Amino acid sequence: MSSMNDQFTVHFWGVRGSIACPGPETVRYGGNTPCVEMRVGSERLIFDGGTGLRVLGQNLLSQMPVEANLFFTHTHWDHIQGFPFFIPAFIKGNQFHIYGAVAPNGATIEQRLNDQMLHPNFPVPLQIMGAQLDFNDIEVGQTIEIGEVRVETAHLNHPGEAVGYRVNWHDYAAAYITDTEHYADRLDPNVLKLAQDADVVIYDATYTDEEYHHPKTSKKGWGHSTWQEAVKVAKAANVKRLVIFHHDPLHNDEFLDRTGEQVKAAFSSSLLAREGMSVVIAPSPGAFMPAHAKV
């Protein structure tokens, strides 16, 4: 039996985009906004701090003290709104290394997380958090070394900018590519680079092609992609498993069931992200637990 230090697993705590949408129509896929955890060898990596980060925080309370690396793609509300409710960050003895690119207006990741917790937006400031918070400004394009883990970065096509990540460990790789809009005339070379030969690619497919190109309610320029484009990327980049992510809040469980069937027909090694789902990359590639499984 393999030890935890021999494993590379991906855990989904929030899979929605734009705004949290809990309710009876989103039970199976979940309503929390983006948060994905990767346990890679001895390291814990967390991507984005949407409302799913609050749920992850509750899970981590039984595992303290906790040290983890928290990467932000960008700081639109749906990717940071869980951070003020991340209980482990309030507890002394925990340590979080926080990464994010400097915004176009020059604001650092620390400044932006701090600002959302200032009055009148929030009752207590970031400085009340008792854990050790180490903030790191990343230069997009650089590779970040965390023990045996290498994290590559690349620009994504999103209003206000966003960062895509690729996590490399031994001969395995997983890419987190959310909040990116495809180009009309070509596949994005940054996306292809992050996805190339990856074991798992998590891709922003907020819309369908029909929604994206709708003559009256077009989503062009909104900064998101479609599952049809995700399939094109997966095929071009020789991706082993494609995970459709960042579901539109208007897409209920039945809609996503139908979408999943269509994606599966177009690319057999694919699935739609669900809260509570875990994908095992190593030591057993291809295994996963459904949304109701414990992680």
Side-chain angles (χ1 to χ4, degrees), residues 8-25:
F8 188 164
T9 55
V10 184
H11 306 266
F12 294 84
W13 299 96
V15 302
R16 290 281 169 176
S18 303
I19 190 169
C21 54
E25 295 188 338

Side-chain angles (χ1 to χ4, degrees), residues 22 25 29 55 61 64 68 96 106 123 133 146 148 171 178 181 195 200-202 249 253 273 276 286:
E25 295 188 338
Y29 289 88
V55 186
L61 292 178
M64 296 190 300
F96 298 98
L133 306 180
I146 303 172
E148 295 183 328
D171 295 326
T178 189
E181 186 166 355
V200 170
V201 168
I202 303 161
D253 289 333

Side-chain angles (χ1 to χ4, degrees), residues 6-67:
D6 295 329
Q7 296 186 15
F8 188 164
T9 55
V10 184
H11 306 266
F12 294 84
W13 299 96
V15 302
R16 290 281 169 176
S18 303
I19 190 169
C21 54
E25 295 188 338
T26 60
V27 171
R28 293 200 303 276
Y29 289 88
N32 280 300
T33 57
C35 182
V36 172
E37 176 194 17
M38 298 188 192
R39 302 175 196 170
V40 191
S42 61
E43 307 294 342
R44 188 189 302 268
L45 283 63
I46 303 167
F47 293 89
D48 279 329
T51 58
L53 183 64
R54 183 195 67 83
V55 186
L56 170 57
Q58 294 296 312
N59 181 269
L60 292 178
L61 292 178
S62 63
Q63 304 175 45
M64 296 190 300
V66 174
E67 180 175 4

